[in-house]
Amino acid sequence: MNDSTNSKVNKERRLGNLASYDPRTKLYLVVLLTLIMAVGWKWQVMIIGVAMSLVIVAITEVDFMKVLTMSIRAFIVSLIISIIVAIFVSIKVGVFLLIKLLLLTLIASFVAQTMKQSDVLDALAKGFGMNAQTAKRLSAVLTFVPHLEREKKRVKMAQRARGVDPDEGSFISKLRKDFMLAIPNYKCTFIKTGRQMKAMEMRQYTSVKRRKCVHELKFTWVDEVILLIFIIALAASILLMLVLK
């Protein structure tokens, strides 16, 4: 990168806009938050995890209700898992697990909204040193929910074009409609994801060494500051857990 490109990147990066961050930074933040959640099994430590989650939500600049609606199915699965844990382990562990799963699901959805699939591939390959096959598979998993939401939106638009309002009726009625469309939507998304992976193979995405990034990856002071904040939060969580033992 030349000096003019460097200055352009620095101007585009804003601490309060997650979408402008380096793709690797976005995934690093999710990993760091997951580690904070993993070590935090005391209320005092949980507060740090919640605070860091709110930081990501605040800097994402994505419609909250849109992400909440998109994550509702994952929330239901998290609730079921937490209830099972509460029954067989303890209520406290079940409640903690529910909070952790809900926050991680929400944050992953927020971050996914700021990344294109090419960004995810580049971040996995360059940021975590993954080979092409692993990066492709993990990228498909990480982008599955956004693709599913787009498919759901496409179906709703098709229904409106035929004179049917999918948002009409009570909450129970909407839930029933969503449930009836869930299987076809999942099936279509799986098929499209499979086709996308085949298309990547046809375009010779077989080696991360030969492949050039769509956008040149470069850390700036913005990426370094936000990562430092989360690393400090992780260190504080570990230290607090040791003190509270």
Side-chain angles (χ1 to χ4, degrees):
M1 270 191 182
N2 54 35
D3 293 337
S4 61
T5 308
N6 282 331
S7 61
K8 184 179 178 182
V9 170
N10 287 325
K11 287 179 182 177
E12 288 175 350
R13 298 277 169 91
R14 288 193 297 113
L15 200 57
N17 183 11
L18 184 68
S20 68
Y21 291 10
D22 187 291
R24 294 169 296 178
T25 302
K26 298 174 188 179
L27 293 190
Y28 289 157
L29 291 180
V30 175
V31 171
L32 287 169
L33 182 63
T34 303
L35 292 174
I36 292 171
M37 293 295 183
V39 301
W41 292 96
K42 300 283 185 182
W43 287 110
Q44 297 91 328
V45 184
M46 276 293 296
I47 292 172
I48 297 176
V50 173
M52 292 298 99
S53 301
L54 291 176
V55 167
I56 294 179
V57 172
I59 64 177
T60 305
E61 298 184 356
V62 175
D63 183 13
F64 183 80
M65 290 308 298
K66 177 185 176 183
V67 176
L68 194 64
T69 305
M70 189 173 71
S71 308
I72 192 69
R73 294 180 184 87
F75 286 165
I76 294 170
V77 173
S78 301
L79 180 61
I80 293 169
I81 293 171
S82 301
I83 289 172
I84 293 171
V85 171
I87 292 171
F88 290 99
V89 182
S90 72
I91 294 175
K92 181 182 177 181
V93 174
V95 171
F96 270 44
L97 185 62
L98 178 61
I99 295 171
K100 292 170 186 288
L101 290 176
L102 291 180
L103 285 174
L104 287 174
T105 300
L106 193 64
I107 296 308
S109 299
F110 267 105
V111 174
Q113 288 296 303
T114 68
M115 300 182 76
K116 297 178 182 178
Q117 186 158 20
S118 59
D119 293 333
V120 177
L121 282 168
D122 293 340
L124 291 172
K126 305 299 182 183
F128 294 88
M130 293 184 180
N131 60 45
Q133 290 299 328
T134 306
K136 277 192 296 186
R137 293 191 182 100
L138 193 50
S139 170
V141 172
L142 294 173
T143 57
F144 183 80
V145 173
H147 287 170
L148 181 64
E149 182 62 22
R150 282 197 288 270
E151 184 64 26
K152 181 181 174 183
K153 186 178 179 181
R154 187 188 66 79
V155 171
K156 285 189 174 184
M157 288 174 66
Q159 287 179 323
R160 289 192 182 96
R162 290 173 174 81
V164 178
D165 187 0
D167 298 321
E168 190 179 22
S170 63
F171 178 74
I172 301 297
S173 175
K174 290 178 186 176
L175 247 144
R176 185 171 59 84
K177 290 176 186 175
D178 280 346
F179 180 76
M180 290 174 65
L181 291 170
I183 294 175
N185 285 343
Y186 271 97
K187 184 179 178 181
C188 287
T189 307
F190 270 118
I191 292 171
K192 286 183 178 179
T193 301
R195 287 174 180 169
Q196 197 169 42
M197 291 189 72
K198 285 181 181 178
M200 289 169 66
E201 287 178 7
M202 292 175 68
R203 290 169 185 168
Q204 299 299 311
Y205 185 72
T206 55
S207 171
V208 293
K209 292 180 180 178
R210 289 187 299 170
R211 180 181 181 272
K212 291 183 179 179
C213 298
V214 177
H215 306 288
E216 189 168 358
L217 305 182
K218 182 174 177 62
F219 285 117
T220 67
W221 69 269
V222 172
D223 302 284
E224 292 167 357
V225 167
I226 195 69
L227 286 173
L228 181 61
I229 291 170
F230 273 75
I231 290 169
I232 291 171
L234 175 59
S237 300
I238 295 171
L239 185 62
L240 203 53
M241 280 299 296
L242 294 172
V243 171
L244 294 172
K245 271 188 176 182

